[in-house]
Amino acid sequence: SQTIHQWPATLVQPVGSPLSLECTVEGTSNPNLYWYRQAAGRGLQLLFYSVGIGQISSEVPQNLSASRPQDRQFILSSKKLLLSDSGFYLCAWSISSGNTIYFGEGSWLTVV
Amino acid sequence: QQQVKQSPQSLIVQKGGISIINCAYENTAFDYFPWYQQFPGKGPALLIAIRPDVSEKKEGRFTISFNKSAKQFSLHIMDSQPGDSATYFCALNDYKLSFGAGTTVTVRA
């Protein structure tokens, strides 16, 4: 069966510090991968999606970036965090031809 | 640009009551209409989904009603239970999911 792992689960970072959130998927090949952000009490905002290694599409302009160095690995990064980057970050995957998206457990980021 | 409008933002229902959440969309190109359920501190999970060739789909106490001409679809939670307290998102799918703003459902015992 397929599983998705996302870490760290929680982190508190000062303004201006870098960020790296990592996500890996097991049990499937060539998945579509996604990063979503959810501000407190708000909806789900798609940040990035990827259909293959090195292929990243950005949905919103921001100081975040994403990379996909391996088929089942997706990384969300920032060089300098802003207070507004605080939120709940969710990695997700789907099969390339599928409709259902499967989410990880999420990472809580608090920028102070 | 939000492609799907979801309402209400929140609702409170008594145990055993019916919860109804509505979503409206503009683009008619979508062919898959899922609902996701999210518990606090967890990622969303697929609850139920419908394709536009049917007007209703039922799974247990959860029913999706789909009105293609009105471009609306809704989620009905029958016999609501405290364990149904969660945030519900409708979504539209082309090459990625576009989510509604979410509805927080609270079921009072």
Side-chain angles (χ1 to χ4, degrees):
Chain A
S1 63
Q2 300 88 1
T3 56
I4 180 170
H5 302 282
Q6 184 180 341
W7 69 93
T10 306
L11 67 165
V12 180
Q13 295 285 97
V15 170
S17 65
L19 170 74
S20 181
L21 299 178
E22 191 164 339
C23 171
T24 59
V25 179
E26 297 177 358
T28 187
S29 296
N30 195 31
N32 290 343
L33 297 173
Y34 311 84
W35 279 110
Y36 285 84
R37 177 170 60 197
Q38 188 173 29
R42 304 289 294 276
L44 295 153
Q45 180 186 36
L46 179 63
L47 301 176
F48 301 96
Y49 71 95
S50 171
V51 298
I53 295 174
Q55 301 178 63
I56 310 293
S57 295
S58 174
E59 290 292 304
V60 292
Q62 60 216 325
N63 70 321
L64 299 171
S65 62
S67 61
R68 184 171 178 173
Q70 300 181 46
D71 181 45
R72 290 170 290 175
Q73 183 184 26
F74 207 23
I75 299 171
L76 183 69
S77 304
S78 175
K79 293 182 179 178
K80 289 185 178 182
L81 285 168
L82 307 172
L83 286 174
S84 58
D85 291 324
S86 294
F88 189 44
Y89 288 82
L90 289 154
C91 182
W93 73 275
S94 67
I95 63 173
S96 58
S97 59
N99 287 310
T100 301
I101 288 185
Y102 303 92
F103 287 87
E105 289 294 297
S107 298
W108 286 100
L109 170 65
T110 303
V111 182
V112 296
Chain B
Q1 180 182 355
Q2 192 174 35
Q3 301 203 65
V4 59
K5 289 181 166 43
Q6 182 173 345
S7 62
Q9 186 175 5
S10 63
L11 67 92
I12 299 173
V13 62
Q14 291 296 121
K15 180 181 176 182
I18 301 173
S19 304
I20 302 175
I21 307 169
N22 300 298
C23 282
Y25 61 98
E26 294 287 332
N27 191 329
T28 57
F30 301 108
D31 64 354
Y32 181 72
F33 300 86
W35 285 90
Y36 282 72
Q37 180 188 54
Q38 183 182 29
F39 293 106
K42 301 294 184 181
L46 178 67
L47 178 65
I48 186 173
I50 196 169
R51 294 197 180 276
D53 54 346
V54 297
S55 60
E56 185 175 284
K57 182 175 181 180
K58 183 177 181 180
E59 290 184 1
R61 295 183 294 104
F62 299 90
T63 300
I64 298 180
S65 296
F66 182 76
N67 187 328
K68 189 173 182 178
S69 60
K71 299 183 204 173
Q72 294 178 349
F73 58 112
S74 60
L75 176 69
H76 296 231
I77 307 174
M78 313 300 287
D79 187 26
S80 297
Q81 300 297 311
D84 298 331
S85 296
T87 300
Y88 295 82
F89 295 93
C90 62
L92 301 173
N93 191 58
D94 40 31
Y95 59 92
K96 57 179 173 58
L97 281 182
S98 298
F99 286 90
T103 298
T104 300
V105 174
T106 302
V107 181
R108 295 261 171 88

